[in-house]
């Protein structure tokens, strides 16, 4: 149905299976299909009149319909000419408003022998309409006609040590590879097409305009085995759009997205992990690759990064229009660097002096904002920024306050603070035709409602009240706390206190961590069941104090690093007198779950612990598979989060030292685990190893496996059930609530699905109707903690 919103006039079109509207609003194309012969075809409609023109008709498929920027030209794929054949091939068609003409098919010059035009490759025009980009692919072998009986069918996977990717990884990617297409281009007035992507250099990036003389092609093919233990490497090439000729720009770029193309296609650029430097090279080969930041007096790499590999930069680069400059970041400031090398680098902001962090803030126009997003900060290259005025996000590294400032892309020191406060701002969106912005802000207490104001964030007013029911509940407050680790490193953390907090009283403490989280001081967290972890606002509303400590890591000793950071933080809180030292719990998932499993083998400070999806045995996990991606787990231990920094054979003692299962006999803390049988990140046998070890040692341990769930819980019913059980577990050990039956007696498999065992047993009730402070019937809580 096409409806004129001014006049109310309607036009309807029957049997439509898909449609495409021109961005300019002046064209509507639709594909029709009927059960009767003669009804298939592609039609073009003038929205102003509702008149329809038949572009191409005939039985077949019509795919990848696209208009050019003006809305006056149309391109698409169809296999109408070969529809009656056993394996009909697609052709590329173009229409200038009337009947379509064929541009290319599998017999056109330039299409590789044995290839055809791929229905999976997106069709698009260049900005001037003279180039048509589309996809090609090797033509698959026809399916055999002979039928094989199931009893005679053989199904197997063959693992070969020479395979570029492991078989599980190949299987995960199999459908994507079957549907892969390789970019090609058809030029106006030329009979042959130019193949840009190839089987050996498959990935091609081009500017959105499609007007550059070169495109960037990348390949990880020669380096694919290394992804199992050393990360992703890729080679980058400049490809001539007119001839298809290739020239290597850089070999074996590692990490942080590899090589990228500037918005107008003038430069290739990348982060050099070894030299810790941004580099760029002209795509036309007119000069060598240049160092852009290596000679500057500050670090452009993340100085807090503690992984056993080259550090990443402080975020991605942003380009100025016309590829005139790159904007890159050190810890605090935004720098303008010239990829041509003609102009010196310029520091645009002065954040280092006040320990502020400035970042380019992209601003969407119209309805493009993620209003209720919880994010903050600038983005990657995208389109080039207009030269001149620019919006910066601002973050106070000390207090965690945030805001926005106005500056310039072409002048240093011209920064004007617009708004700043002890809140967390999300990305603003600008009205399309007015100097008005809409944004959200949040704190631990303040829900991220919508705010509207002018271009300098003045005259701001809140225009939504999406969470009024919060006023009916006890909530809490969040503040920064500081302490020293065992190795005398100053650390930050978040401390959440319940409403009505009285420092003369003693409270139960819930500890949660995941690397460094203190920058999220002002993040709002609704009390909803989630995929795995405790909700801070929920536990604070029930009288718990919540502690979220930061953790720095020493390579080779991740478990010890967590212990050296978290336990001194807990002890510093206990020393202030408002935490009951016998009522400290800890909860974490995945990487956090591993560290908890490790810590309870070394300390008795926790009265109860929940470790979600923990690695318990690094020696067996090292040789495991991350089934969701099909990757070997080796890379995680040698180069990334697990931070061992070497192979199992080079660092055997470290792997054993950091494996909780080898020291399970030292545990005196009741442990709950969540580990599901479809976990694609941490194989669930890691949880099983920990469970059977503690069970054999007659130590209190529980493991919950939500059947068919992955690394976290996806089904809401499971999330709610887990939130209840985790609350029951901690309430029992930390605030003397009675145990539920699933903890006290278990739930036999014969009643699975009919009996959840959630009801509390041995429940003494006080005169006020609450849970008595007397112990429930579960017996000992564990050894003394110290």
């Amino acid at each position: 149905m096409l409806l004129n919103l001014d006049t109310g006039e309607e036009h309807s079109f029957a049997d439509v299976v898909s449609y495409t509207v021109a961005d300019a609003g002046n064209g509507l194309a639709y594909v029709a299909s009927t059960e009767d012969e003669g009804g298939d075809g592609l039609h073009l409609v003038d929205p102003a009149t509702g008149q329809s023109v038949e572009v191409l008709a005939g039985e077949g498929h019509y795919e990848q319909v696209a208009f050019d920027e003006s809305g006056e030209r149309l391109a698409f794929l169809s296999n109408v000419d070969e529809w009656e054949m056993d394996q009909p091939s697609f052709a590329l068609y173009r229409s200038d408003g009337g009947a379509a003409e064929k541009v290319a098919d599998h017999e056109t010059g330039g299409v590789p022998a044995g290839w055809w035009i791929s229905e999976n490759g997106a069709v698009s025009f260049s900005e001037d309409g003279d180039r048509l980009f589309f996809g090609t692919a090797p033509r698959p072998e026809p399916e055999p006609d002979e039928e094989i009986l199931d009893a005679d069918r053989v199904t197997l996977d063959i693992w070969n040590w020479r395979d570029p990717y492991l078989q599980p990884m190949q299987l995960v990617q199999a459908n994507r590879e079957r549907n892969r297409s390789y970019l090609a281009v058809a030029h106006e007035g030329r009979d042959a097409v130019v193949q840009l992507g190839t089987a050996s250099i498959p990935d091609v990036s081009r500017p959105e305009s499609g007007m550059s003389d070169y495109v960037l092609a990348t390949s990880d093919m020669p380096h694919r085995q290394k992804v199992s233990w050393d990360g992703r490497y890729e080679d980058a090439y400049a490809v001539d759009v007119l001839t298809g000729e290739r020239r290597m720009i850089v070999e074996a770029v590692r990490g942080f997205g590899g090589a990228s193309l500037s918005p107008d296609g003038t430069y290739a650029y990348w982060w050099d992990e070894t030299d810790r430097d941004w580099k760029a090279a002209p795509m036309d080969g007119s000069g060598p690759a240049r160092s852009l930041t290596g000679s500057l007096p500050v670090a452009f790499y993340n100085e807090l990064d503690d992984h056993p590999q080259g550090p990443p930069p402080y975020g991605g680069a942003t380009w100025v229009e016309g590829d005139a400059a790159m904007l890159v970041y050190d810890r605090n400031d935004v720098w303008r660097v010239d990829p041509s090398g003609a102009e010196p680098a310029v520091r645009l902001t002065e954040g280092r002096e006040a320990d502020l962090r400035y970042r380019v803030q992209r601003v969407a126009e119209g309805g493009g904002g993620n209003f209720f997003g919880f994010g903050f900060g600038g983005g990657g290259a995208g389109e080039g920024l207009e030269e001149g005025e620019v919006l910066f996000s601002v973050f106070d590294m000390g207090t965690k306050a945030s805001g926005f400032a106005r500056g310039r892309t072409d002048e240093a020191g011209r920064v004007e603070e617009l708004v700043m406060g002890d809140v967390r701002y999300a990305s603003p969106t600008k009205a399309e035709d007015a100097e008005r912005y809409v944004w959200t802000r949040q704190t631990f207490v303040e829900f991220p409602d919508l705010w509207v104001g002018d271009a300098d964030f003045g005259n701001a007013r809140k225009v939504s009240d999406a969470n009024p029911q919060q006023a009916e509940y006890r909530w809490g407050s969040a503040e920064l706390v500081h302490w020293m680790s065992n190795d005398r490193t100053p650390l930050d953390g978040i401390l959440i206190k319940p409403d009505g907090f009285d420092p003369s009283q003693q409270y139960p403490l819930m500890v949660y961590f995941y690397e460094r989280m203190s920058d999220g001081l002002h993040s709002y967290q609704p009390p909803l069941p989630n995929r795995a972890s405790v909700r801070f606002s929920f536990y604070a509303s029930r009288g718990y104090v919540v502690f979220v400590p930061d953790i720095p890591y020493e390579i080779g000793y991740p478990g010890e690093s967590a212990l050296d950071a978290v336990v001194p933080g807990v002890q510093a809180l206990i020393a202030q007198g408002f935490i009951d030292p016998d009522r400290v719990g800890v909860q974490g998932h995945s990487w956090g779950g591993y560290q908890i499993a490790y810590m309870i083998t070394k300390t008795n400070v926790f009265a109860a612990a929940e470790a979600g999806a923990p690695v318990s045995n690094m020696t067996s996990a090292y040789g495991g598979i991350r089934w969701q991606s099909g990757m070997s787990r080796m890379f995680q231990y040698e180069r990334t989060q697990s931070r061992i920094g070497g192979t199992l054979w080079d660092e055997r003692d470290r792997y054993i030292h950091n494996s909780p299962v080898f020291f399970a006999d030292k545990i005196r803390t009741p442990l709950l685990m969540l580990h599901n049988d479809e976990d694609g990140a941490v194989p669930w046998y890691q949880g099983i190893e920990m469970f059977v070890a503690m069970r054999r040692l007659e130590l209190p341990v529980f493991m919950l496996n939500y059947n068919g769930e992955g690394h976290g819980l996806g089904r809401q019913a499971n999330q709610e059930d887990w939130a209840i059980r985790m609350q029951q577990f901690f309430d029992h050990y930390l605030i003397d609530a009675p145990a539920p039956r699933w903890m006290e007696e278990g739930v036999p498999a014969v009643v699975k699905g009919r009996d959840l065992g959630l009801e509390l047993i041995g429940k003494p009730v006080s005169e006020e109707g609450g849970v008595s402070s007397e112990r429930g019937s579960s017996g000992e809580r564990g050894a003394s903690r110290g």
Side-chain angles (χ1 to χ4, degrees):
M1 183 72 70
L2 179 66
L3 171 65
N4 187 313
L5 297 179
D6 291 327
T7 67
E9 184 179 9
E10 295 180 356
H11 300 278
S12 61
F13 308 95
D15 304 314
V16 175
V17 294
S18 66
Y19 66 90
T20 304
V21 180
D23 288 343
N26 58 345
L28 166 67
Y30 71 86
V31 176
S33 182
T34 64
E35 293 183 0
D36 302 327
E37 290 187 12
D40 291 5
L42 178 70
H43 305 262
L44 182 62
V45 178
D46 180 356
T49 65
Q51 296 299 308
S52 175
V53 175
E54 188 176 79
V55 175
L56 185 66
E59 214 175 346
H61 291 153
Y62 299 80
E63 306 287 349
Q64 305 292 346
V65 181
F67 285 95
D68 74 345
E69 192 173 77
S70 70
E72 297 175 355
R73 283 177 276 204
L74 183 71
F76 60 95
L77 306 178
S78 180
N79 57 9
V80 62
D81 283 351
E82 295 189 2
W83 180 248
E84 299 299 330
M85 299 178 65
D86 291 337
Q87 196 182 29
S89 64
F90 281 85
L92 175 68
Y93 292 86
R94 171 175 171 157
S95 165
D96 292 333
E101 60 174 304
K102 185 185 294 186
V103 176
D105 59 20
H106 64 280
E107 295 180 338
T108 302
V111 176
W115 286 34
W116 64 355
I117 293 177
S118 170
E119 64 181 298
N120 301 307
V123 172
S124 63
F125 285 90
S126 60
E127 195 173 84
D128 63 2
D130 290 343
R131 297 174 179 176
L132 256 180
F133 296 92
F134 61 100
T136 61
R139 188 167 190 156
E141 293 292 329
E143 292 289 336
D145 293 332
E146 57 191 354
E147 291 190 9
I148 302 175
L149 295 174
D150 288 343
D152 296 329
R153 190 180 303 276
V154 176
T155 304
L156 84 163
D157 303 324
I158 297 176
W159 298 45
N160 189 309
W161 71 282
R162 294 181 178 87
D163 286 344
Y165 285 154
L166 285 172
Q167 274 291 313
M169 193 169 178
Q170 292 183 49
L171 292 170
V172 168
Q173 299 183 10
N175 283 335
R176 187 177 73 182
E177 290 301 318
R178 290 187 192 103
N179 295 325
R180 180 186 282 275
S181 64
Y182 302 83
L183 189 67
V185 60
H187 295 271
E188 178 79 8
R190 293 176 59 177
D191 294 332
V193 303
V194 179
Q195 188 67 47
L196 303 176
T198 67
S200 60
I201 311 174
D203 300 312
V204 179
S205 302
R206 66 174 181 84
E208 187 175 343
S209 69
M211 298 293 293
S212 63
D213 292 333
Y214 296 88
V215 294
L216 180 71
T218 58
S219 174
D220 65 353
M221 294 288 191
H223 314 288
R224 282 190 168 181
Q225 280 199 342
K226 294 178 185 176
V227 78
S228 288
W229 56 82
D230 196 28
R232 187 174 186 270
Y233 291 79
E234 70 175 27
D235 305 329
Y237 301 80
V239 181
D240 191 308
V241 175
L242 294 176
T243 67
E245 293 180 357
R246 292 163 182 77
R247 183 187 71 258
M248 179 175 278
I249 299 172
V250 61
E251 186 176 8
V253 176
R254 184 189 187 282
F256 201 72
S260 300
L261 188 65
S262 61
D264 284 2
T266 313
Y267 298 96
Y269 66 101
W270 61 94
W271 172 254
D272 189 313
E273 197 176 85
T274 302
D275 294 346
R276 302 181 177 190
D277 181 22
W278 282 104
K279 293 184 177 176
M283 290 293 291
D284 63 4
S286 58
R290 296 183 179 91
S291 166
L292 304 182
T293 57
S295 62
L296 297 177
V298 294
F300 288 82
Y301 62 88
N302 186 342
E303 294 146 287
L304 293 180
D305 186 79
D306 45 27
H307 298 90
Q309 60 181 0
Y314 282 112
T318 302
W319 283 82
V320 176
E321 65 180 350
D323 292 350
M326 277 173 60
L327 304 185
V328 294
Y329 310 121
D330 69 14
R331 180 178 184 270
N332 298 96
D333 289 305
V334 183
W335 291 72
R336 178 189 177 106
V337 294
D338 181 2
S340 73
E343 300 291 334
V346 177
R347 183 167 71 122
L348 300 178
T349 58
E350 297 176 347
R352 185 167 294 270
E353 291 76 2
D355 203 21
L356 300 176
R357 181 179 69 204
Y358 287 92
R359 298 293 184 255
V360 173
Q361 177 63 65
R362 292 279 186 174
V363 179
E365 286 200 2
N370 177 18
F371 293 132
F372 288 95
F374 293 79
F376 174 77
E383 295 183 0
L385 289 174
E386 289 186 15
E387 189 78 90
E389 192 170 279
V390 64
L391 187 67
F392 296 124
S393 65
V394 191
F395 184 78
D396 189 308
M397 305 291 280
T399 68
K400 316 302 182 183
S402 70
F404 297 104
R406 182 183 292 121
R408 296 189 63 82
T409 63
D410 54 1
E411 193 172 346
R414 286 279 301 276
V415 178
E416 174 192 1
E417 182 181 296
L418 301 177
V419 62
M420 194 77 181
D422 290 321
V423 298
R424 182 183 177 102
Y425 284 96
S427 301
T429 297
K430 181 185 176 296
E432 191 167 345
D433 299 316
E435 293 300 311
R436 299 283 286 166
Y437 286 81
V438 60
W439 65 88
T440 68
R441 72 179 206 186
Q442 61 184 289
T443 68
F444 179 75
V445 179
E446 180 182 346
F447 183 85
D449 276 303
L450 293 170
W451 289 71
V452 172
D454 53 33
D456 61 3
F457 294 84
N459 300 314
R461 61 189 180 92
K462 189 170 76 167
V463 296
S464 71
D465 187 15
N467 199 29
Q469 68 274 13
Q470 181 177 324
E472 302 173 19
Y473 293 87
R474 300 181 64 186
W475 205 258
S477 61
E479 63 189 59
L480 275 181
V481 291
H482 313 280
W483 72 99
M484 302 288 281
S485 72
N486 281 340
D487 63 1
R488 310 309 294 166
T489 301
L491 296 176
D492 296 336
I494 302 170
L495 188 68
I496 298 164
K497 297 176 179 176
D499 275 349
F501 175 79
D502 181 353
S504 68
Q505 302 294 316
Q506 287 197 324
Y507 293 82
L509 178 67
M510 178 61 64
V511 181
Y512 177 87
F513 54 84
Y514 197 95
E515 302 209 3
R516 296 177 185 266
M517 297 181 67
S518 63
D519 282 0
L521 171 67
H522 297 303
S523 296
Y524 182 86
Q525 190 183 84
L528 299 171
N530 70 353
R531 292 179 58 81
S533 301
V534 293
R535 285 293 191 176
F536 306 155
S537 52
F538 174 68
Y539 278 79
S541 75
R542 304 184 63 254
Y544 285 80
V545 172
V546 181
F547 178 42
V548 187
D550 284 351
I551 303 174
Y553 295 92
E554 179 185 355
I555 292 172
Y557 301 96
E560 208 76 26
S561 298
L563 188 74
D564 287 343
V566 174
V567 173
V570 171
Q571 291 170 333
L573 294 177
I574 291 173
Q576 296 182 53
F578 55 81
I579 298 300
D580 185 336
D582 290 331
R583 299 173 187 274
V584 179
V586 63
Q587 194 273 326
H589 192 76
S590 191
W591 179 235
Y594 154 69
Q595 292 164 94
I596 290 168
Y598 177 89
M599 285 194 294
I600 63 174
T601 70
K602 303 295 184 182
T603 180
N604 296 328
V605 74
F606 302 113
E610 192 284 321
V615 167
S616 61
N617 183 350
M618 286 194 174
T619 66
S620 59
Y622 176 82
I625 298 291
R626 295 176 66 96
W627 292 106
Q628 186 173 1
S629 63
M631 291 182 65
S632 162
R633 294 182 54 81
M634 291 179 178
F635 78 95
Q636 181 162 339
Y637 300 92
E638 295 185 33
R639 290 288 177 261
T640 62
Q641 190 174 54
S642 296
R643 295 173 169 90
I644 298 299
T647 70
L648 179 61
W649 309 280
D650 292 335
E651 303 291 351
R652 183 182 296 107
D653 290 344
R654 287 185 179 182
Y655 280 87
I656 294 173
H657 174 79
N658 285 283
S659 297
V661 74
F662 289 105
F663 309 97
D665 59 322
K666 306 299 183 184
I667 295 173
R668 296 297 180 266
T669 304
L671 177 64
L672 171 66
M673 290 182 289
L674 168 69
H675 216 152
N676 304 316
D677 50 21
E678 292 296 327
D679 193 323
V682 180
W684 82 302
Y685 58 72
Q686 287 294 310
I688 294 172
E689 286 192 41
M690 192 69 173
F691 179 86
V692 296
M694 290 183 66
R695 178 176 179 268
R696 173 66 179 81
L697 293 164
E698 298 184 349
L699 299 172
V701 61
F702 311 88
M703 189 172 85
L704 275 59
N705 164 28
Y706 290 85
N707 300 161
E709 289 275 25
H711 193 52
L713 298 173
R715 293 186 62 239
Q716 183 171 340
N718 291 341
Q719 293 176 358
E720 293 173 358
D721 184 84
W722 168 240
I724 292 169
R725 294 183 195 274
M726 186 159 49
Q727 173 197 330
Q728 290 177 332
F729 172 79
F730 282 119
D731 282 359
H732 174 61
Y733 285 110
L734 302 185
I735 61 174
D736 297 316
R741 188 161 54 84
W742 66 268
M743 285 178 59
E744 192 70 10
E745 301 174 0
V747 178
V750 292
V751 296
K752 179 179 176 178
R754 293 185 285 117
D755 183 353
L756 299 177
L758 282 169
E759 70 276 9
L760 302 179
I761 61 176
K763 181 178 181 182
V765 179
S766 68
E767 292 181 2
E768 291 77 18
V771 175
S772 168
S773 62
E774 298 176 8
R775 287 258 188 265
S777 58
S778 72
E780 294 183 349
R781 289 169 47 178
S784 61
R785 286 157 292 282

